[in-house]
Amino acid sequence: MACAGSHPRPELTTSPVSEPRKPEQLLMQTPPGNPLMLSHTLQELLSKDIVQVELIPEKKGLFLKHVEYEVSSKRFKCSVYRRYNDFVVFHEMLLQKFPYRMVPALPPKRMLGADREFIESRRRALKRFINLVARHPPFSEDVLLKLFLSFSGSDVQNKLRELVQGLGDEFMTCKLATQAKDFLPADIQAQFAASRELIRNIYNSFYKLRDRAERIASRAIDNASDLLIFGKELSALGSDTTPLPSWAALNNSTWGTLKQALKGLSVEFALLADKAAQQGKQEENDVVEKLNLFLDLLQSYKDLCERHEKGVLHKHQRALHKYSMMKKQMMSATVQNKEPESVEQLESRIVEQENAILTMELRNYFSLYCLHQETQLIHIYLPLTSHILGAFVNSQIQGHKEMSKVWNELKPKLSCLFVGPTNVPAPPLSSPEDNLFSS
């Protein structure tokens, strides 16, 4: 939910952020009662927009190569082309305009020798970033987002800067900014500390879950590679043209039959490899990526908490310290009967400092107001856990089901491999007693 009463400068109101909304949608955006409380559901957040980010590699000149991205928004029904640096400027402007909100971090800039895997990893990270931004209540209603997702000109970076230049941050444009304290609970500091600790613990657990999910998906892809090679080796064995020595002529027909059977098995193993690869890719997209999305969100909350402590809270404390020093100087000047002009100048500076402290106190409460809403937003996203678990379970069920079907279809084709002394097919060795390697 955007801060109730926020109003950009008049020249920006001519560029609507989104399509006209129905009255019931407006009511959903502005719940009655305390404006501090959010009323969104996870489904409402996820349905705000779906943004695709695809690679468009291009070569400029003989040696220089850069990567462009096609960014397609379902909400704005358009596609635009963006460079990584466009994302960087957009990120900077979001932080400048919304310093008290969760702004997801960007993936690292291209490093020397960046390979295809790094570029793909960055594309996925940029996609997560822009989708989190597009679904964040205040960001989703801001002109910055609309410009980034719909402006097709070549100077998008300058356009983004122009939107923010001279406008001030959210504190300056929100009518409720100076009243934020009135909406906060009395124990807001204790709530903030408890929420921060809880979300830190959740982050640590999800980080470990993501690590294991990556390993599981990676093993499925490795399994696919091994199955494919296994089938190829069987095919190579069956295709061997080395003539049999004369002393083995008695078994010539047996070896020929075996070779024919082995040669045909590569098709089934290729199919098994394909099924395993599909499962691995599905788990990368539906499980690992969703875990990464949630981790990006949790990390942005941790970053916001640090900004609150190192930014407005720290400045407020420094201002109070400076004010205390000024008061001591004033007392000293009064005792020493200094020149009236110097005393007046000191009084003027003290008044200015008092006003600065008042503004910082208001900003501090507004920062806590935003933090309260961002904490609610994290909890709205928490049910994503069930989506992730559901995707993981479904992937495992579907993957094992499909591979089991191929294995079962493969089994009858092995009958000719188990030939008895009278050239009659025998059942495969399955019980411990029949195992050739049992003692």
Side-chain angles (χ1 to χ4, degrees):
M1 183 190 72
C3 180
S6 60
H7 51 96
R9 291 194 170 186
E11 63 265 23
L12 295 178
T13 56
T14 55
S15 300
V17 175
S18 60
E19 308 89 331
R21 289 178 290 169
K22 297 177 182 178
E24 59 267 27
Q25 291 175 312
L26 290 170
L27 288 173
M28 181 194 73
Q29 295 292 330
T30 311
N34 191 344
L36 179 66
M37 306 308 295
L38 299 183
S39 66
H40 298 79
T41 65
L42 177 61
Q43 194 54 46
E44 287 171 351
L45 291 180
L46 297 179
S47 64
K48 278 182 175 288
D49 201 354
I50 298 174
V51 186
Q52 300 295 337
V53 178
E54 301 298 337
L55 285 167
I56 305 177
E58 287 185 5
K59 285 188 177 180
K60 299 276 180 159
L62 295 175
F63 303 106
L64 297 178
K65 182 180 179 182
H66 72 265
V67 176
E68 270 193 319
Y69 304 93
E70 182 179 10
V71 181
S72 307
S73 165
K74 183 178 179 181
R75 175 186 175 189
F76 295 110
K77 300 178 177 62
C78 62
S79 295
V80 292
Y81 298 101
R82 295 287 179 258
R83 298 279 304 278
Y84 176 78
N85 286 339
D86 298 332
F87 280 91
V88 171
V89 173
F90 177 55
H91 181 264
E92 289 173 354
M93 295 304 101
L94 278 176
L95 273 175
Q96 190 171 323
K97 192 170 183 181
F98 298 99
Y100 310 124
R101 301 287 182 180
M102 293 187 296
V103 179
L106 283 177
K109 194 173 177 65
R110 181 176 181 177
M111 299 179 293
L112 290 175
D115 55 14
R116 184 175 298 177
E117 185 178 348
F118 170 80
I119 293 172
E120 171 60 16
S121 174
R122 192 173 69 176
R123 180 197 69 81
R124 287 174 176 263
L126 290 174
K127 181 180 176 182
R128 295 195 303 269
F129 163 80
I130 194 61
N131 275 284
L132 283 173
V133 170
R135 294 163 182 171
H136 187 285
F139 304 161
S140 67
E141 301 301 319
D142 195 79
V143 287
L144 273 174
L145 179 70
K146 182 183 180 182
L147 180 76
F148 187 79
L149 291 179
S150 62
F151 180 73
S152 57
S154 59
D155 57 342
V156 64
Q157 295 183 25
N158 289 330
K159 292 293 183 182
L160 288 167
R161 292 190 177 100
E162 287 171 8
L163 279 181
V164 178
Q165 187 177 10
L167 183 63
D169 62 17
E170 188 183 8
F171 175 79
M172 301 294 293
T173 59
C174 176
K175 281 184 179 180
L176 293 178
T178 57
Q179 306 168 41
K181 183 180 179 180
D182 300 334
F183 301 108
L184 292 171
D187 61 341
I188 181 62
Q189 294 292 354
Q191 285 194 30
F192 166 56
S195 295
R196 190 176 186 182
E197 181 65 22
L198 172 64
I199 289 170
R200 184 187 293 117
N201 293 339
I202 292 173
Y203 176 89
N204 291 338
S205 292
F206 270 85
Y207 186 89
K208 293 173 184 175
L209 287 171
R210 191 277 311 273
D211 182 57
R212 294 299 142 179
E214 279 184 334
R215 288 163 64 94
I216 291 169
S218 178
R219 279 200 298 271
I221 293 170
D222 288 343
N223 187 32
S225 177
D226 290 339
L227 285 167
L228 190 62
I229 293 172
F230 193 93
K232 286 181 178 178
E233 289 303 321
L234 289 176
S235 180
L237 188 61
S239 302
D240 186 80
T241 56
T242 306
L244 284 173
S246 57
W247 59 265
L250 290 175
N251 295 319
N252 188 14
S253 61
T254 303
W255 178 235
T257 304
L258 286 171
K259 282 173 57 178
Q260 192 62 33
L262 293 171
K263 187 176 180 181
L265 293 180
S266 63
V267 175
E268 276 74 18
F269 276 93
L271 186 56
L272 285 166
D274 183 57
K275 298 296 183 186
Q278 285 180 21
Q279 182 177 347
K281 292 295 182 184
Q282 186 176 351
E283 286 168 0
E284 280 185 347
N285 294 327
D286 295 346
V287 181
V288 176
E289 272 306 290
K290 283 189 175 72
L291 285 166
N292 277 325
L293 179 82
F294 194 44
L295 280 172
D296 289 350
L297 182 71
L298 293 172
Q299 182 62 53
S300 69
Y301 182 86
K302 292 170 66 179
D303 294 342
L304 175 61
C305 291
E306 287 191 17
R307 284 204 304 276
H308 171 73
E309 289 191 335
K310 295 181 179 179
V312 63
L313 193 61
H314 182 63
K315 288 178 181 177
H316 185 211
Q317 291 170 344
R318 286 180 60 187
L320 286 173
H321 177 71
K322 185 176 179 181
Y323 177 72
S324 175
M325 297 299 293
M326 284 181 177
K327 293 291 284 185
K328 288 179 181 178
Q329 289 178 9
M330 185 66 181
M331 289 177 64
S332 176
T334 304
V335 170
Q336 296 176 13
N337 292 320
K338 288 194 173 181
E339 293 293 327
E341 286 186 8
S342 61
V343 174
E344 286 179 7
Q345 288 176 355
L346 193 54
E347 285 178 342
S348 176
R349 287 172 56 201
I350 288 174
V351 171
E352 288 178 6
Q353 189 66 10
E354 286 174 345
N355 291 332
I357 288 172
L358 178 61
T359 301
M360 288 178 191
E361 285 179 348
L362 293 174
R363 278 189 173 272
N364 183 43
Y365 283 118
F366 183 67
S367 177
L368 286 168
Y369 175 96
C370 294
L371 257 170
H372 196 292
Q373 288 192 331
E374 301 303 276
T375 304
Q376 293 175 61
L377 199 58
I378 291 287
H379 285 273
I380 292 172
Y381 265 101
L382 274 175
L384 192 64
T385 307
S386 60
H387 292 232
I388 296 168
L389 285 174
F392 179 60
V393 171
N394 288 338
S395 172
Q396 289 291 316
I397 292 172
Q398 186 66 22
H400 287 299
K401 182 180 178 181
E402 291 183 3
M403 291 191 72
S404 177
K405 183 181 177 182
V406 180
W407 283 117
N408 283 321
E409 290 174 352
L410 174 63
K411 189 174 180 180
K413 298 180 181 179
L414 303 180
S415 59
C416 60
L417 296 177
F418 305 99
V419 180
T422 57
N423 288 338
V424 177
L429 300 172
S430 57
S431 61
E433 299 89 338
D434 295 330
N435 197 309
L436 290 174
F437 302 103
S438 62
S439 55

